Amino acid sequence: MKAQDGYEYGPNSEVYETIPKGIVTKHSWESTTFPNTIRDYYIYVPSQYDASQPAALMIFQDGHAYVNTEGDFKVPTVFDNLIAQGKMPVTIGLFINPGHHKDLPEPESPWRASNRSMEYDDMSSTYSDFLLNEMIPELKKDYNISDNPKMTAIAGLSSGAICAFSAAWFHPESFHKVLSHYGSFTDIRGGHNYPPMIRKTDKKAIKVFMQDGSSDLNNHYGNWWLANLQMESALKFKDYEYEFVGGTGGHNGNHAGSILPESLAWLWSDVVPKRVASQVYSFPSVKADTVLMKGETMHLDDMEFTANFMNPSAQKTFFDTKKEQILIIKEGEVKATLNGKSTTLGANSVVVIIPGDKAEFTSSFEGAAYYQMAYSSKDFNMKRGKKAGSEILDYSQLEYKTHDLGGIRNYFHRETAMCPYYEMHMTNLNPGIKSHEPHTHVATEIVIMIEGETEMEIGNQKYLGKAGDVYFLASSVPHAIRNMGTEQARYLAFQWD
């Protein structure tokens, strides 16, 4: 994972119409652990929350900074996107401000709350006890929250970051995941002692993501950048599961906010399903059958996408009673036989085969290459599949329609046995332009490059694809494609859910 120079925010920090929105509510709390103090706190509940299923929990100190969708972190927006993409579990967010003494004037901001340093910088379990004995039980009155420590994360910035680490350090049985932004592991209330403590103490069940900038504070309490490097070194020495991303910024949330989507995806990666990654998959450089991608997607239990080569005049049979298949001819010519009916097909022609139907390819004397995707679904419905049937789409017979950005050929918009929604088209994209700004849709999508070179923005990453390469775009991930060449690019796209 790399720091982003310039601290630009990626698409996963933006709001999209198609992404379900969580709800944030504001509350107030008078503490018994910290007598005579009061604080505001916020609760984020994702749209996908189901009271019958235990939700994950993530707690943020200095909650006002994290919950602000116009601030550096935009956590509710990032949560909306990552939960919809399956990169986080369904997670309730608890955003807590530091306490302020009731008999003192209202602070000018939560940063100036009178109890902040005492609660956050203290090297004890007092604050984590406050969470475990007061705030979490209060939350559990209204929400079904998992008791599994791997489903609980805690985060903070500056003094709030060392507070988050202390909670996990003293109560690893309750807090497994720590997100530390420019943490104050300095000599404010003894925080500089953590690196030697980590080295000398048996490894605890903690997973840690740390961020800091080389221009962070340097004062009489210590050097923040060096203190964070000491923490990283200690975690590495003790073989903790951790990530450290360093930037060049100062004591603020610019860099931390810009990498927040990637930080959260890494932190939660051990409790979400392992799915096919959204990225570009390169066409093989040698003529050997190759698995380009394989695994689970949001809507498919199992999917395998391969690049395949046929020798001259070779035959291949496709038959599966449990999986559906789609065949896309990349180059060459084949005689395609589907349920006894034959036709000659060239490049970019397509065959859809529902379970139980049989197809055959016989290559021409020059041979052929094709893509194959075989898959099973979470929504298998053979009655629906038989109604729509298997079919052959001959590229030479498809109508081409021009538009302002280039043109399009529509293949189909249909149902299959595995997918209630299945759509395919081929786009011609004029040089030097994007098809659109990053957008999202519930459907998963595969884009196959036919001609030209493109750049695909997927989430907060960018990938280059040339003819033959395949982009995979997971459900709800923001994406946009740009033609990088001086001629029209062509690509075939199909979606399903």
Side-chain angles (χ1 to χ4, degrees), residues 414-433:
R414 53 166 291 175
E415 298 178 331
T416 73
M418 298 295 175
C419 305
Y421 167 75
Y422 209 56
E423 186 270 339
M424 176 180 281
H425 62 273
M426 181 179 289
T427 293
N428 285 41
L429 184 63
N430 290 335
I433 64 170

Side-chain angles (χ1 to χ4, degrees), residues 83-86 275 296-300 378 442 444 472 475-476:
I83 292 171
Q85 294 167 25
R275 290 176 172 158
E296 180 182 341
T297 76
M298 181 72 78
H299 307 103
L300 302 179
K378 306 174 191 303
V442 175
T444 303
F472 180 81
S475 172
S476 297

Side-chain angles (χ1 to χ4, degrees), residues 310-318 329 332-337 342-345 359-365 367-368 370:
M310 298 183 71
N311 293 325
S313 304
Q315 282 192 326
K316 172 72 175 179
T317 299
F318 307 93
I329 301 171
E333 189 175 86
V334 302
K335 182 177 77 171
T337 303
S342 298
T343 197
T344 300
L345 300 175
E360 291 180 347
F361 275 180
T362 302
S363 66
S364 69
F365 66 90
Y370 64 93

Side-chain angles (χ1 to χ4, degrees), residues 205-236:
I206 302 172
K207 182 179 183 181
V208 185
F209 187 98
M210 300 181 66
Q211 170 277 335
D212 196 22
S214 58
S215 299
D216 204 348
L217 298 174
N218 185 14
N219 57 33
H220 60 287
Y221 291 113
N223 183 305
W224 266 246
W225 172 248
L226 294 180
N228 277 272
L229 292 180
Q230 287 279 21
M231 284 291 292
E232 179 199 13
S233 180
L235 293 169
K236 182 178 182 179

Side-chain angles (χ1 to χ4, degrees), residues 295-363:
E296 180 182 341
T297 76
M298 181 72 78
H299 307 103
L300 302 179
D301 292 317
D302 182 60
M303 177 269 277
E304 181 174 273
F305 191 100
T306 57
N308 308 274
F309 300 88
M310 298 183 71
N311 293 325
S313 304
Q315 282 192 326
K316 172 72 175 179
T317 299
F318 307 93
F319 177 77
D320 198 312
T321 59
K322 296 181 179 179
K323 289 189 174 182
E324 197 162 83
Q325 300 178 73
I326 185 167
L327 310 173
I328 302 161
I329 301 171
K330 181 183 184 296
E331 58 192 54
E333 189 175 86
V334 302
K335 182 177 77 171
T337 303
L338 177 63
N339 293 329
K341 183 179 179 180
S342 298
T343 197
T344 300
L345 300 175
N348 308 318
S349 297
V350 172
V351 180
V352 179
I353 314 168
I354 66 169
D357 280 1
K358 180 180 178 182
E360 291 180 347
F361 275 180
T362 302
S363 66

Side-chain angles (χ1 to χ4, degrees), residues 166-299:
S166 292
W169 182 259
F170 288 104
H171 287 289
E173 79 287 350
S174 298
F175 304 101
H176 174 253
K177 294 171 169 58
V178 178
L179 180 59
S180 169
H181 293 138
Y182 49 99
S184 299
F185 298 99
T186 52
D187 193 13
I188 299 176
R189 294 178 183 265
H192 64 299
N193 290 311
Y194 265 130
M197 289 168 61
I198 292 168
R199 291 174 180 273
K200 296 175 183 179
T201 305
D202 289 344
K203 181 181 173 183
K204 301 190 179 189
I206 302 172
K207 182 179 183 181
V208 185
F209 187 98
M210 300 181 66
Q211 170 277 335
D212 196 22
S214 58
S215 299
D216 204 348
L217 298 174
N218 185 14
N219 57 33
H220 60 287
Y221 291 113
N223 183 305
W224 266 246
W225 172 248
L226 294 180
N228 277 272
L229 292 180
Q230 287 279 21
M231 284 291 292
E232 179 199 13
S233 180
L235 293 169
K236 182 178 182 179
F237 173 78
K238 210 64 179 181
D239 197 29
Y240 274 84
E241 186 177 8
Y242 80 95
E243 282 277 344
F244 177 82
V245 176
T248 58
H251 201 73
N252 60 64
N254 299 149
H255 175 227
S258 73
I259 64 170
L260 182 64
E262 291 79 13
S263 310
L264 291 171
W266 179 86
L267 203 63
W268 291 104
S269 61
D270 57 340
V271 294
V272 294
K274 304 298 181 189
R275 290 176 172 158
V276 176
S278 296
Q279 61 182 58
V280 64
Y281 295 85
S282 298
F283 192 77
S285 57
V286 295
K287 290 188 174 183
D289 291 355
T290 303
V291 177
L292 298 187
M293 63 188 90
K294 178 179 174 61
E296 180 182 341
T297 76
M298 181 72 78
H299 307 103

Side-chain angles (χ1 to χ4, degrees), residues 386-408:
K386 286 184 175 180
K387 181 180 178 182
S390 301
E391 66 176 324
I392 291 176
L393 290 306
D394 185 344
Y395 176 77
S396 67
Q397 301 299 311
L398 299 178
E399 180 184 4
Y400 178 66
K401 297 179 180 179
T402 60
H403 53 61
D404 291 344
L405 301 182
I408 191 170

